[in-house]
Amino acid sequence: MRKITKRIACLFLALMLCLASVCASAAEYTLLEKMGKQLQIGSGLKGSITIFAGADAENELLKAVSGIEIGFTSIASGAGFVTEMHLVSGEENLGTTTLWSDGATVALSSELAPEVLLTLPTDGDIWNALFGQTGNSPVWYSVAANIMNVSQTKWEMDWAPVLQPYYTDLELWLNDFAAAPVVSKDDNGETVILIRYEIPEESIKEKLVWLVRTALNDEKLVSLLKSQMTGEQIAAYLDAGYLYFYEALIDAISLPGKVIFERELTGKGEECHTRVTLPLADGGEQAWRTLSVDTGRDSTEIVLSGDSAVMTIELAAGEKDGKLVRSGTVTNVPQNAENEAWSFSFSVEMDEKYEVDSDTRQHTWYNIHLTVANTNLLDGKNLNVKEITPADITCKVHLHSKSANTSPTTLETEGSAIIGLDQFTWQGKAKTAAPWAVSFGDASGGTDVRTMDAEAREHVREQLSEGAIRLAATIEAAAPEQDTADEAADAAPTEAPAETEAPDEAQEEEPAEEQEAPAGDDAQPDDTQTDDAEEV
């Protein structure tokens, strides 16, 4: 828990620096990270997936594409990318849907609905476009995601030593606001020490200014933050010359009350529970008034309270039969009983297996089970309860690759899902590939999605769905006698093998020296090559 707390503290520090908008070797990577790194430096991705609808499926699109192979390719090039999905009958591509970006605009077109061309001007930053921000104040969400995804090894080696002085200083600072400790016994008769801190608004602002000033002049920390930022984010947030602007923004923060921080310690001084209550600024009738975060050894409760509703998020972590389990509930209770209330639970179970073959081929297997269901927490409370669509999804993933950084990484998946009344299974495979030439489409004359209302978006969705259904019907009518969707689903394997044999050694490549292949390489991928005969 302390490691997570420290990481959140660093994330908080990074967010403070973003108030203006209010290479290792392959051995250090997991195979999933290796695949991501290969795609980042310009490799392409090729694959396909086939979905088999159950006999009682109600979704028309799901039934129409059942048993039809959906192929896809994707590659990045500079600031742009091209992703294509196509319905396949034998060797023939019968309908392609393309999502692409030339770095300035993201566009979507489809042969399933030729009259549809959707665009999203980005000016080089998709995050900014999605959240309506300008290049002078780029969004910080990608920085937050990058920091939270730093590997544990890299965190302990690079980040922790640099951040330790900040943790120590914050601990000493908190002591100035501590009330006298309260000693009691818990339900098990163990000694528990409760320390309560009440921190006034002005003290928090002063400390935030100190944190920003210190961080902007800390060369080691700035270097680490730069490694997680784009050039635009670095220019906007890491310039020490903007300190005066940060100070003005911090001064404008409104905290209508004191921040309450409570800690529970064991008799040995080990932290076992924390609770933070943060007053939120007045934002109108629909705004939240307080945010409370209650963190224990294996669970967290987040409560947002406002004049219109109270939302409670409960999260728990643990193990079950050797599997990692993440579970929780989300409940929204309106203050006005006529408004919609809802409550659902979720659970994710995952286990992982890793091994290396005698020929250095690495394998990782993941078994994942996700369930989402309505709860009975609101039963008998005279509320207008809205039920969510329940889901039960089982997914098996197998990644494998030889040890060289340039060896392709293959991902195979199969699974089953029940979502509402629809049941289906799937099988798919994807592999990184040598880069190929990239050409972008013409986005002129497209419809800007930011100007579309709900009715227009629904109309586009219906056009794409109807196009897919028409094409699927054409494929079915032209195809020779074939198994039904249910027979195909029954034929699909339901259990992932404990091991996967490597391809014939004669077809394997020799490990190559690491090299970064440019995405703009004009060579098209050679589909006649064996599974691992090419380098990426």
Side-chain angles (χ1 to χ4, degrees):
M1 184 182 72
R2 293 183 64 84
K3 290 179 180 178
I4 296 298
T5 301
K6 290 183 177 182
R7 188 164 297 198
I8 292 174
C10 179
L11 172 59
F12 176 73
L13 179 59
L15 300 187
M16 288 304 101
L17 294 175
C18 300
L19 279 171
S21 68
V22 140
C23 229
S25 68
E28 294 183 4
Y29 302 150
T30 66
L31 287 177
L32 198 59
E33 289 171 335
K34 179 179 180 180
M35 175 176 270
K37 292 287 185 182
Q38 289 175 337
L39 297 177
Q40 278 182 352
I41 64 174
S43 297
L45 184 70
K46 301 185 295 182
S48 65
I49 187 169
T50 306
I51 299 172
F52 305 97
D56 298 326
E58 294 189 346
N59 185 286
E60 292 299 322
L61 178 59
L62 179 62
K63 292 192 291 185
V65 301
S66 179
I68 298 174
E69 181 181 354
I70 304 172
F72 57 86
T73 62
S74 184
I75 191 168
S77 178
F81 66 87
V82 177
T83 298
E84 292 184 342
M85 293 179 290
H86 39 271
L87 297 178
V88 178
S89 178
E91 299 296 322
E92 186 178 3
N93 174 15
L94 299 177
T96 297
T97 298
T98 305
L99 177 70
W100 82 91
S101 173
D102 57 6
T105 301
V106 176
L108 174 71
S109 63
S110 178
E111 295 175 357
L112 304 177
E115 65 276 21
V116 172
L117 175 59
L118 304 179
T119 61
L120 175 65
T122 65
D123 294 324
D125 195 311
I126 294 177
W127 286 94
N128 285 347
L130 291 175
F131 290 92
Q133 294 185 239
T134 67
N136 292 326
S137 56
V139 293
W140 44 261
Y141 307 108
S142 59
V143 184
N146 291 341
I147 290 175
M148 295 302 286
N149 285 322
V150 171
S151 70
Q152 191 63 41
T153 300
K154 193 170 185 63
W155 183 269
E156 297 293 344
M157 182 180 300
D158 298 338
W159 289 75
V162 174
L163 293 170
Q164 188 57 51
Y166 294 87
Y167 305 146
T168 302
D169 184 87
L170 287 172
E171 289 279 359
L172 295 173
W173 174 73
L174 278 173
N175 288 338
D176 293 338
F177 306 98
V182 177
V183 181
S184 62
K185 298 286 186 180
D186 63 15
D187 295 339
N188 298 319
E190 300 291 335
T191 299
V192 175
I193 304 171
L194 174 65
I195 305 176
R196 179 183 174 92
Y197 307 81
E198 295 189 10
I199 312 170
E201 176 182 0
E202 287 306 313
S203 296
I204 291 175
K205 291 182 178 181
E206 290 174 4
K207 197 59 182 178
L208 287 177
V209 170
W210 177 87
L211 281 171
V212 173
R213 181 186 299 114
T214 305
L216 289 176
N217 289 282
D218 185 335
E219 293 182 1
K220 293 181 179 179
L221 180 56
V222 167
S223 177
L224 289 171
L225 291 171
K226 283 182 177 180
S227 70
Q228 308 301 320
M229 290 181 165
T230 65
E232 187 179 45
Q233 289 167 333
I234 291 171
Y237 301 133
L238 296 183
D239 187 342
Y242 290 155
L243 180 60
Y244 71 95
F245 190 45
Y246 287 118
E247 291 178 349
L249 288 170
I250 292 171
D251 186 62
I253 293 174
S254 176
L255 296 174
K258 295 181 178 180
V259 172
I260 307 299
F261 179 40
E262 295 178 312
R263 277 172 151 172
E264 286 187 8
L265 310 175
T266 67
K268 297 179 180 180
E270 297 173 347
E271 189 173 271
C272 58
H273 205 100
T274 63
R275 183 181 300 106
V276 178
T277 302
L278 181 69
L280 303 178
D282 185 0
E285 292 183 0
Q286 302 301 316
W288 302 112
R289 302 297 186 187
T290 61
L291 167 64
S292 175
V293 181
D294 195 330
T295 304
R297 292 186 185 276
D298 299 310
S299 64
T300 298
E301 181 183 73
I302 302 170
V303 179
L304 280 163
S305 300
D307 294 339
S308 60
V310 175
M311 181 185 294
T312 303
I313 304 170
E314 297 181 351
L315 307 172
E319 290 190 6
K320 177 183 178 183
D321 300 329
K323 297 180 180 180
L324 182 68
V325 180
R326 296 288 185 267
S327 60
T329 60
V330 182
T331 303
N332 186 75
V333 179
Q335 302 290 7
N336 184 341
E338 295 182 358
N339 294 335
E340 287 184 348
W342 41 263
S343 178
F344 66 88
S345 64
F346 64 89
S347 175
V348 180
E349 296 182 8
M350 185 183 78
D351 63 14
E352 176 182 357
K353 176 186 175 183
Y354 173 81
E355 68 177 40
V356 180
D357 285 349
S358 58
D359 66 347
T360 75
R361 175 171 292 276
Q362 302 168 356
H363 297 266
T364 302
W365 290 269
Y366 298 99
N367 292 307
I368 305 167
H369 184 205
L370 167 67
T371 58
V372 179
N374 294 285
T375 76
N376 59 5
L377 297 177
L378 303 180
D379 289 357
K381 295 190 176 181
N382 196 30
L383 293 170
N384 177 22
V385 178
K386 176 184 179 181
E387 293 196 344
I388 57 98
T389 302
D392 190 321
I393 302 172
T394 299
C395 179
K396 297 183 178 183
V397 178
H398 175 203
L399 292 117
H400 54 91
S401 176
K402 295 198 74 174
S403 59
N405 285 356
T406 52
S407 295
T409 305
T410 300
L411 183 153
E412 300 174 55
T413 179
E414 63 179 45
S416 63
I418 302 173
I419 302 177
L421 298 177
D422 292 315
Q423 182 173 358
F424 59 93
T425 62
W426 73 84
Q427 288 181 292
K429 181 177 181 179
K431 185 187 74 169
T432 55
W436 57 87
V438 175
S439 60
F440 303 114
D442 182 7
S444 60
T447 301
D448 189 334
V449 296
R450 296 174 299 182
T451 66
M452 298 173 65
D453 57 21
E455 183 178 351
R457 290 194 294 270
E458 178 63 18
H459 179 62
V460 169
R461 189 198 66 78
E462 289 177 352
Q463 287 178 291
L464 293 171
S465 178
E466 290 170 359
I469 291 172
R470 287 195 302 270
L471 183 57
T474 301
I475 295 174
E476 183 176 2
E481 184 177 347
Q482 58 184 355
D483 293 337
T484 64
D486 284 334
E487 290 171 339
D490 291 339
T494 58
E495 292 295 328
E499 297 183 3
T500 297
E501 294 182 1
D504 186 350
E505 291 185 10
Q507 297 175 343
E508 293 289 338
E509 84 290 356
E510 291 298 321
E513 295 296 323
E514 181 177 8
Q515 58 186 12
E516 297 189 359
D521 195 323
D522 290 337
Q524 294 287 340
D526 184 356
D527 291 329
T528 65
Q529 291 178 307
T530 57
D531 185 58
D532 280 298
E534 62 184 84
E535 294 182 354
V536 298

